[in-house]
């Protein structure tokens, strides 16, 4: 009984964090709410629908990272709650922590749920980059990034910086023996699980189907919001703008992508030819639907999952 107050406090923490965060971002929330109220309601309902389906896609992708059959209802509830946690901590730490606790409660050992987490991020990154590459090949002139970059900063320079950063990370791991051992052991476990999972067609379909479906559904939500506000940009170009923005924003660790995703989306839409004011309105309305509306319900679900020891 002495642990009951502590558990109750843990259940309330998500709500307290949401209240503080909403207070810090009240101007963005208010502006976005005004844009939502001024938009076409039928398209906004479509955006809400794609957001809900996005959690279904994530649930399939998470299931595809482990051999064990996870309880479907709890898995979906965990992804919904993880979305709220992800908006309170940077770089996906919140969602990862919730999923680690969930898989631990399901009896999956640490080495394997760590490998499952790495596989999920790998599949997510590969799917987004692959979709972006395919869209760039199909619409090479749609994204005019050079017009948004300073004269001395080109796409080649940005790519060089990215490759240099990746190379520096690899050299650091190779140079430090304890780190090399840890990373090597983790990679061996991860590669063993990846090979084993890819011998099971259902897991392959769940992992890669969910990983590709999630960004497509998110992009469809942005398209629906853009149509509700009459954004004068072709649908395919909006999808391309979303894919480019999501890849770029992933490099900036901010809670829920607040700031990084918003700025990247606005810049990407402007790069496709959208007016800056309409692009900003579209992004604000989109973020209200995908971030702010699910935040409080997600925090309530997270508290309930903690109370019931699901996570």
């Amino acid at each position: 009984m002495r642990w009951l107050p502590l558990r109750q406090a843990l259940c309330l923490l998500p709500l307290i964090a949401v209240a503080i965060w909403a207070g810090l971002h009240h101007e963005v929330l208010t502006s976005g709410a005004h844009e939502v109220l001024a938009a076409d309601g039928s398209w906004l309902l479509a955006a809400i629908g794609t957001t809900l389906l996005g959690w279904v896609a994530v649930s399939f992708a998470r299931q595809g990272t482990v051999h064990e059959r996870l309880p479907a209802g709890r898995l979906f509830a965990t992804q919904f709650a993880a979305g709220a946690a992800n908006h309170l901590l940077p770089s996906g730490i919140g969602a990862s922590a919730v999923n680690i606790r969930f898989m631990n409660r399901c009896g999956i050992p640490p080495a394997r749920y760590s490998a499952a987490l790495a596989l999920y991020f790998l599949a997510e990154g590969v799917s987004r980059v692959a979709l972006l590459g395919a869209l760039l090949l199909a619409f090479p002139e749609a994204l005019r990034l050079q017009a948004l970059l300073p004269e001395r900063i080109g796409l080649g320079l940005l790519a060089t910086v990215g490759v240099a950063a990746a190379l520096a990370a690899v050299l650091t791991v190779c140079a430090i023996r304890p780190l090399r051992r840890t990373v090597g052991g983790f990679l061996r476990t991860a590669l063993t699980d990846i090979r084993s999972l890819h011998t099971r067609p259902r897991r392959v379909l769940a992992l890669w189907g969910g990983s590709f479906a999630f960004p497509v559904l998110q992009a469809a939500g942005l398209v629906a919001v853009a149509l509700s506000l009459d954004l004068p940009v072709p649908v395919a170009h909006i999808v391309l703008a979303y894919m480019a923005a999501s890849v770029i924003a992933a490099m900036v660790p901010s809670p829920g992508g607040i700031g990084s995703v918003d700025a990247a989306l606005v810049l990407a839409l402007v790069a496709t030819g959208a007016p800056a004011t309409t692009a900003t309105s579209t992004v604000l309305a989109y973020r209200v639907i995908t971030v702010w509306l699910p935040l409080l319900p997600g925090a309530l679900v997270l508290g309930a999952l903690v109370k019931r020891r699901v996570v």
Side-chain angles (χ1 to χ4, degrees):
M1 294 295 293
R2 62 183 179 180
W3 295 104
L4 185 59
L6 176 59
R7 182 163 290 279
Q8 289 177 338
L10 289 174
C11 295
L12 291 174
L13 277 179
L15 299 179
I16 296 171
V18 167
I20 294 173
W21 202 50
L24 293 174
H25 298 89
H26 67 279
E27 292 182 0
V28 176
L29 181 59
T30 302
S31 299
H34 287 311
E35 301 299 339
V36 168
L37 292 175
D40 187 332
S42 59
W43 282 116
L44 293 182
L45 286 175
I48 293 173
T50 60
T51 302
L52 292 173
L53 289 174
W55 289 308
V56 176
V58 172
S59 299
F60 275 100
R62 296 284 186 184
Q63 175 63 84
T65 62
V66 294
H67 288 281
E68 293 82 356
R69 184 176 180 83
L70 302 173
R74 293 183 179 183
L75 177 59
F76 177 78
T78 299
Q79 302 320 306
F80 182 61
N86 203 43
H87 296 313
L88 302 175
L89 293 171
S91 299
I93 294 175
S96 298
V98 172
N99 277 283
I100 284 173
R101 290 290 299 171
F102 173 67
M103 287 188 281
N104 184 44
R105 294 289 190 187
C106 291
I108 300 173
R112 292 194 52 243
Y113 65 58
S114 298
L117 195 64
L119 178 56
Y120 172 79
F121 282 119
L122 175 63
E124 183 184 41
V126 169
S127 62
R128 288 181 185 272
V129 172
L131 289 169
L132 174 59
L135 287 167
L136 286 173
L137 288 175
F139 306 99
E141 301 299 327
L143 204 60
R144 299 183 292 274
L145 290 177
Q146 292 287 3
L148 299 177
L149 296 173
E151 292 183 2
R152 295 183 180 180
I153 300 179
L155 296 178
L157 178 59
L158 293 178
T160 302
V161 171
V163 172
L167 182 60
V170 172
L171 292 176
T172 301
V173 171
C174 294
I176 303 175
R177 180 174 296 179
L179 184 59
R180 186 169 67 246
R181 289 177 179 175
T182 301
V183 173
F186 168 75
L187 288 176
R188 284 191 293 271
T189 301
L191 290 174
T192 299
D193 276 6
I194 289 173
R195 285 194 297 267
S196 179
L197 284 166
H198 280 75
T199 62
R200 304 179 63 179
R202 289 186 179 182
R203 292 296 182 264
V204 173
L205 181 61
L207 172 63
W208 292 104
S211 297
F212 275 94
F214 180 54
V216 170
L217 287 166
Q218 286 188 314
L222 180 62
V223 168
V225 174
L227 292 174
S228 74
L229 292 170
D230 297 323
L231 187 74
V233 176
V235 169
H237 293 190
I238 297 173
V239 175
L240 174 58
Y242 170 80
M243 294 300 171
S246 65
V247 170
I248 294 171
M251 304 175 187
V252 182
S254 62
I258 292 294
S260 59
V261 172
D262 301 331
L265 278 174
V266 171
L267 287 175
L269 288 174
V270 171
T272 61
T277 53
T278 312
T280 303
S281 299
T282 299
V283 171
L284 287 174
Y286 173 70
R287 296 290 279 172
V288 165
I289 291 173
T290 57
V291 175
W292 293 101
L293 287 182
L295 192 56
L296 180 57
L300 291 171
V301 172
L302 180 58
L305 293 176
V306 171
K307 184 176 182 179
R308 297 182 181 184
R309 300 187 178 183
V310 175
V311 298

